[in-house]
Amino acid sequence: MAGRIRVSAVPVDVTVGDVERNLGAIRDALGQSARSGPHLIVLPELATSGYVFADQGEAWSCALRADDERLTSLGAALPIETVVVLGFCERDGDTLFNSALVLGAEGVLGCYRKSHLWGTEHRIFDTGPHAGMVVDTPIGRLGVAICYDNEFPELPRRLALSGAQILALPVNWPLVDRPSGEHAPEIVQAMAAARSSRLPTVIADRHGSERGVEWTGGTCVISPDGWLCATPATANTAASTELDLTLDKSIGEFNDLFADRRPELYGDIAVPRIPVRPTSRSEARTHVQ
Amino acid sequence: MAGRIRVSAVPVDVTVGDVERNLGAIRDALGQSARSGPHLIVLPELATSGYVFADQGEAWSCALRADDERLTSLGAALPIETVVVLGFCERDGDTLFNSALVLGAEGVLGCYRKSHLWGTEHRIFDTGPHAGMVVDTPIGRLGVAICYDNEFPELPRRLALSGAQILALPVNWPLVDRPSGEHAPEIVQAMAAARSSRLPTVIADRHGSERGVEWTGGTCVISPDGWLCATPATANTAASTELDLTLDKSIGEFNDLFADRRPELYGDIAVPRIPVRPTSRSEARTHVQ
């Protein structure tokens, strides 16, 4: 499927530990975003729970099953052709995951469990069994990853090679130092990943701070050329724009970013160990691999 | 090997089609850069020949064998512990390659043939048989790639995973449009590649123009954090700085960019085709891969 869609990255207000309040804020944000026509809405990582848990017990108290009616009912209010990607604290039996639910008006389309855990997340969450998810939706083939996942170049690349036409990326980016005039490093990485696979990317981040952790406020939309094409007018408003979804990977007149790949060369190689030794300066040891 | 080295990216003046003049300019530039102590010097892609060939015949007239004494003798003037990476138009029998020679004071350390060809390069060059090169040198384990090679995220990643402590990247970047305030897109990609593998990158680009092709003038050094840490004071001067070479991939207190990889998940996957169908809104089809 290809075509023009609207995309919105919504940095919804999150109160750590208060699931009901967060679900209300999410419901309100989705109501405000409602419109007709194909529309992808992305909300932050752990939007139902917050991120900076006081302890394991608080995480458990915020956890929801993926089929919890409070989550799945969010789909009931969605216009047809709207797809929502929503970060939540998922419980499955005795295990917690940092997950993203993909919801459409017709129900749940998928659930992705973060597979690259940041900081002390290992103390709370298990790692997911897949490196990103690809799911067919009414708006096209959607890739899903969560926060630190996208800092592994293998991951967005793999989603694009699996046919994802757009990437939904819920994040909670703690603010880090950067040189004056530069984007946040995670944005630089997302711009590069988008451009190298012509994979537009919709990023919903947190804003403000939570229990002493300052957020980057990196909510944005990145075009297939790798440039920021929408950012929020103010910290707590959505970044929205329209994008044409295609599978065209051409760049310039003569090149195609996928056709030009040399996958037969990308396997693991033996690490060469070439001792440097005196050689005649006219003796070329060439084409060492 | 690990330690502090000096790096210089030198946008030497190139005159298309005039090999002797270019070799003289290269010799002069290396002479001016001479110093004691470990030092990596990177020169642009096709520095001996220029890029915008009038025709195949001109490319042949500029081509040199990798063991041509005019190239290998450049090593004779180098201080011990200096390593030079130099783009050149290579002939091997009936074939031309867009190559990079790695030269030390002791001789030729390696020759890499570009494996991702840009624009109309296919009309002139054959593609190389390897996706980047890793070579042990007196200054450490060096990765080498050329220009468009680095826009394939697999390539710098693979070099870093093969133990490269630093990447030498000769380029000829034609200037392309970009939004105000942004780096050239190739620099964004190199910054992201550097950061995601903590692989410092030394880029020598052209400046000015050649037969109507405007160059980006992207000569720079990128730190393992992915930030520009040296740029030329003026278009035709070198970007120089010092870098500590390590194999430390840690980021923050709890993470390591290599240890956190999930290579067991990065293999090719079947593309899921999940038809969207009406479902009970409380029935979650979860964990679709």
Side-chain angles (χ1 to χ4, degrees), chain A residues 28-36 39 41 77-79 82:
Chain A
D28 289 349
L30 295 180
Q32 287 164 26
S33 299
R35 61 184 293 286
S36 63
H39 192 187
I41 301 175
L78 295 178
T82 291

Side-chain angles (χ1 to χ4, degrees), chain B residues 43-64:
Chain B
L43 301 170
E45 181 183 12
L46 293 174
T48 57
S49 62
Y51 185 90
V52 189
F53 297 118
D55 52 32
Q56 180 89 7
E58 187 179 40
W60 273 100
S61 75
C62 294
L64 302 169

